[in-house]
């Protein structure tokens, strides 16, 4: 009787283990494809009631840290290291707020160095980014040794560019998945601000219609960025930064973005790749005075942010 | 009894492992190879997804991602799938004015596995990767690449 009872207990335990294994297996990654994570925790561990689907979607949509650099290089603008955040300044970023913002800015700068193939400076910036990634506990997505090796081997610049950008996206994704969307929002803010700063500095050095339109054409993207940042308006540091972006958005009031209808075109390049050119396009209407004010404000905001 | 315990543990682990495999996205190596297909275009980001077998029209089929594109830039979209799935999967580019049913373009619409898009309006667009209609009897993964071709001056 005792033996039977022991066996029964053992069987019950085994069934429990089996069900647990099945349960955890089914929990793996089996949710809907458009995965989102729950509410974020803040620096002070308070939870904020936000719409996680909306915020993660907005953050995810933001441009890659290399895009503005690629645009500037494509416009044949000469390289200048003085446009970048000095690494010694980045070493002083001490709060998570500053580190996440700095991680975005330095990632944009790394993109700039990558497209201009500046190997020595790349290693210097990789080291700074590694330090920030360590502090934010996302270093496992930043393959520092591989990146450093690729940077010192000039034949592998394509791989370096690929790995730098994919590491950035992996760190950003990890922050969102671990309910740290506030830091992820700061990363995209850093990328956007540094990209705009580069465009403004380049345009001040050599004014060009394309660069001007990049800067003036950011009205709707700035609105998108602010709609992310305003989720965190109840935090003093965010509030202070957001006020500056709100002032910048105000300067865009006179910039008109007009939608013009037209006929779509499809052509084929030399490589036979189909090229779609929408007929519907925008015209950006602004004055030189508007542009100057916007540029000065972008430069001021970026410089304020790195001297927090 | 110990034998039964070991058997259950192994079965459980097998179920767990095979489930993880079924849910997997494409490996990083495939993403890298796909990015290289863009030629001189600069890799900006990837859209990596698992595609579950479609058992009915109501099954969840694929993934969509929002993406901000900048006016005046020529972008390249590339779709890569494991061998045997090239004709089963499509990548679609759309926005709120041109919904997925009437998109800007898709690999299905233009043929081949890549196309270029000259952005004429800065804003949020969407990229989706899904099985084409009637396809998708077997699960797979797929990768989309967005890359920068140049400014369209």
């Amino acid at each position: 009787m005792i033996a039977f009872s022991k066996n029964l207990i053992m069987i019950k335990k085994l069934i429990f283990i089996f069900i647990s294994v099945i349960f955890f297996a089914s929990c793996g990654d089996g949710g809907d494809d458009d995965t989102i994570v729950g509410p974020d925790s803040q620096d002070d561990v308070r939870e904020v009631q936000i719409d996680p689907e909306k915020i993660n979607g907005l953050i995810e949509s933001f441009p890659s840290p290399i895009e503005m650099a690629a645009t500037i290089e494509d416009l044949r603008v000469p390289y200048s290291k003085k446009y970048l955040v000095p690494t010694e300044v980045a070493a002083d970023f001490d709060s998570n707020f500053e580190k996440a913002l700095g991680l975005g800015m330095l990632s944009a700068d790394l993109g700039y160095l990558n497209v201009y193939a500046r190997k020595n400076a790349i290693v210097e910036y990789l080291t700074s980014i590694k330090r920030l990634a360590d502090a934010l506990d996302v270093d496992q997505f930043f393959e520092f040794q591989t990146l450093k090796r690729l940077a010192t081997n000039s034949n592998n610049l394509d791989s370096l560019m690929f790995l730098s950008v994919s590491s950035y996206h992996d760190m950003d994704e990890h922050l969102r998945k671990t309910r740290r969307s506030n830091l992820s929002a700061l990363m995209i803010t850093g990328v956007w601000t540094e990209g705009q700063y580069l465009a403004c500095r380049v345009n001040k050095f050599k004014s060009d219609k394309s660069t001007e339109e990049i800067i003036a054409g950011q009205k709707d993207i700035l609105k998108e960025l602010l709609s992310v940042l305003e989720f965190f308006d109840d935090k003093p540091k965010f509030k202070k930064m957001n006020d500056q972006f709100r002032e910048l958005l105000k300067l865009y009031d006179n910039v008109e973005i007009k939608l013009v209808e037209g006929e779509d075109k499809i052509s084929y390049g030399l490589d036979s790749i189909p090229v779609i050119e929408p007929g519907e396009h925008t015209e950006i209407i602004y004055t030189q005075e508007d542009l100057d004010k916007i540029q000065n404000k972008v430069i001021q905001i970026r410089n304020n942010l790195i001297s927090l | 009894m110990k034998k039964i315990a070991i058997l259950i543990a192994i079965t459980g682990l097998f179920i767990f492992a095979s489930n993880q495999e079924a849910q997997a996205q494409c490996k990083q190596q495939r993403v890298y190879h796909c990015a290289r297909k863009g030629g001189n275009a600069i890799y900006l980001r990837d859209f990596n997804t698992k595609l579950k077998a479609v058992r009915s029209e109501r099954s969840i089929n694929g993934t969509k991602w929002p993406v901000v594109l900048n006016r005046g830039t020529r972008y390249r979209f590339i779709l890569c799938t494991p061998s045997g799935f090239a004709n089963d999967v499509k990548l679609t580019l759309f926005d709120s004015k041109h919904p997925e049913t009437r998109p800007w373009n898709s690999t299905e619409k233009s043929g081949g596995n890549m196309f270029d898009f000259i952005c004429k309006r800065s804003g949020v667009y969407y990229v989706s990767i899904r099985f084409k209609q009637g396809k998708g009897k077997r699960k797979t993964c797929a990768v989309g690449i967005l890359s920068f071709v140049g400014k369209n001056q």
Side-chain angles (χ1 to χ4, degrees):
Chain A
M1 193 63 182
I2 292 167
F4 175 75
S5 169
K6 272 185 181 171
N7 279 346
L8 196 66
I9 291 166
M10 180 62 98
I11 286 167
K12 276 183 184 170
K13 277 182 182 170
L14 289 171
I15 289 170
F16 175 75
I17 291 167
F18 188 69
I19 289 169
S20 301
V21 169
I22 300 278
F23 174 77
F24 285 117
S26 65
C27 287
D29 185 20
D32 283 354
D33 290 305
D34 299 318
T35 309
I36 52 163
V37 293
D40 280 19
S41 59
Q42 297 281 289
D43 279 345
D44 62 0
V45 202
R46 256 183 323 129
E47 285 211 337
V48 195
Q49 293 304 313
I50 57 169
D51 177 350
E53 185 170 9
K54 186 175 179 197
I55 193 170
N56 285 333
L58 286 167
I59 292 172
E60 189 185 14
S61 70
F62 262 77
S64 163
I66 208 162
E67 186 163 347
M68 185 56 78
T71 303
I72 289 169
E73 198 268 346
D74 200 58
L75 296 170
R76 305 280 177 262
V77 178
Y79 165 82
S80 174
K81 196 184 172 190
K82 69 179 181 203
Y83 299 151
L84 310 183
V85 176
T87 50
E88 55 274 22
V89 170
D92 289 338
F93 295 156
D94 51 14
S95 68
N96 280 354
F97 183 96
E98 292 166 29
K99 283 170 186 157
L101 206 50
L103 191 55
M105 286 177 166
L106 293 185
S107 296
D109 288 345
L110 181 63
Y112 180 82
L113 295 168
N114 273 329
V115 294
Y116 283 92
R118 301 293 154 150
K119 289 194 294 174
N120 290 338
I122 286 172
V123 175
E124 180 190 334
Y125 277 74
L126 285 173
T127 309
S128 280
I129 291 173
K130 166 85 167 70
R131 199 177 305 126
L132 297 176
D134 278 344
L136 294 172
D137 199 21
V138 286
D139 53 308
Q140 66 271 39
F141 301 99
F142 191 73
E143 296 181 42
F144 177 67
Q145 290 304 335
T146 312
L147 284 161
K148 198 173 160 187
R149 184 170 47 76
L150 290 170
T152 46
N153 179 350
S154 59
N155 299 324
N156 279 320
L157 284 172
D158 280 352
S159 307
L160 174 66
M161 242 188 277
F162 172 81
L163 198 59
S164 308
V165 177
S166 64
S167 295
Y168 166 83
H169 288 301
D170 289 346
M171 290 189 287
D172 170 50
E173 191 182 349
H174 182 70
L175 286 174
R176 281 182 282 120
K177 282 187 172 172
T178 52
R179 300 174 180 225
R180 292 184 287 166
S181 293
N182 53 330
L183 300 182
S184 180
L186 288 167
M187 271 177 76
I188 60 159
T189 305
V191 168
W192 185 84
T193 309
E194 189 67 358
Q196 288 311 299
Y197 174 83
L198 287 172
C200 293
R201 288 293 304 268
V202 160
N203 198 52
K204 277 184 176 276
F205 171 74
K206 184 186 163 209
S207 191
D208 171 276
K209 186 82 180 158
S210 297
T211 322
E212 280 185 12
E213 289 192 346
I214 290 168
I215 299 161
Q218 295 293 311
K219 186 178 183 174
D220 291 338
I221 295 175
L222 177 59
K223 279 183 193 163
E224 290 284 325
L225 179 66
L226 258 170
S227 69
V228 173
L229 295 176
E230 283 174 346
F231 277 114
F232 308 104
D233 241 351
D234 64 332
K235 299 288 298 170
K237 280 184 179 173
F238 269 97
K239 171 80 169 56
K240 193 177 166 196
M241 180 179 74
N242 294 353
D243 284 344
Q244 297 182 68
F245 285 117
R246 280 187 278 262
E247 286 167 25
L248 176 61
L249 187 60
K250 191 92 186 106
L251 297 176
Y252 275 97
D253 277 353
N254 296 334
V255 176
E256 189 190 348
I257 298 180
K258 207 164 81 180
L259 196 63
V260 182
E261 296 294 328
E263 194 85 357
D264 297 348
K265 281 186 219 159
I266 300 179
S267 58
Y268 291 85
L270 289 174
D271 39 16
S272 303
I273 297 173
V275 183
I276 312 331
E277 187 170 359
E280 181 188 290
H281 61 281
T282 49
E283 281 177 9
I284 305 173
I285 300 152
Y286 57 90
T287 63
Q288 188 58 46
E289 191 188 351
D290 296 329
L291 188 74
D292 287 344
K293 284 181 183 169
I294 289 168
Q295 289 186 132
N296 291 338
K297 188 70 185 171
V298 167
I299 292 169
Q300 183 198 17
I301 292 174
R302 186 275 202 169
N303 289 339
N304 285 346
L305 291 178
I306 63 168
S307 60
L308 280 164
Chain B
M1 191 55 69
K2 273 183 186 169
K3 280 181 186 170
I4 296 172
I6 290 165
L7 190 67
I8 288 175
I10 290 170
T11 312
L13 278 174
F14 177 75
I15 291 167
F16 182 75
S18 58
N19 186 62
Q20 290 299 299
E21 184 71 25
Q23 302 294 343
Q25 295 180 330
C26 293
K27 291 202 169 77
Q28 184 76 347
Q29 194 69 8
R30 186 179 298 281
V31 180
Y32 176 65
H33 284 302
C34 192
R36 291 197 62 121
K37 286 186 181 172
N40 290 329
I42 296 172
Y43 161 83
L44 295 178
R45 67 177 279 196
D46 56 76
F47 312 98
N48 191 349
T49 187
K50 61 199 180 234
L51 289 163
K52 295 173 190 166
V54 177
R55 291 189 181 87
S56 74
E57 278 184 15
R58 295 177 67 189
S59 302
I60 293 169
N61 173 11
T63 309
K64 77 167 185 181
W65 300 262
V67 56
V68 169
L69 300 182
N70 281 300
R71 177 184 179 273
T73 301
R74 179 170 167 177
Y75 295 96
R76 180 160 295 163
F77 292 87
I78 310 167
L79 174 67
C80 297
T81 51
S83 62
F85 288 91
N87 297 318
D88 296 354
V89 181
K90 63 178 176 181
L91 179 150
T92 308
L93 173 69
F94 59 102
D95 64 14
S96 53
K97 274 187 82 180
H98 297 79
E100 207 170 354
T101 46
R102 252 182 335 107
W104 280 115
N105 199 22
S106 73
T107 50
E108 185 179 35
K109 197 171 156 186
S110 61
N113 62 352
M114 65 177 88
F115 61 83
D116 285 2
F117 179 76
I118 299 171
C119 181
K120 295 293 195 80
R121 177 190 61 82
S122 294
V124 180
Y125 292 74
Y126 298 90
V127 170
S128 71
I129 296 180
R130 305 191 193 281
F131 277 122
K132 291 177 188 171
Q133 268 200 333
K135 305 283 176 84
K137 301 283 183 281
R138 290 177 297 149
K139 65 179 184 259
T140 185
C141 70
V143 173
I145 298 288
L146 168 64
S147 47
F148 174 95
V149 180
K151 287 304 283 181
N152 201 60
Q153 295 166 68

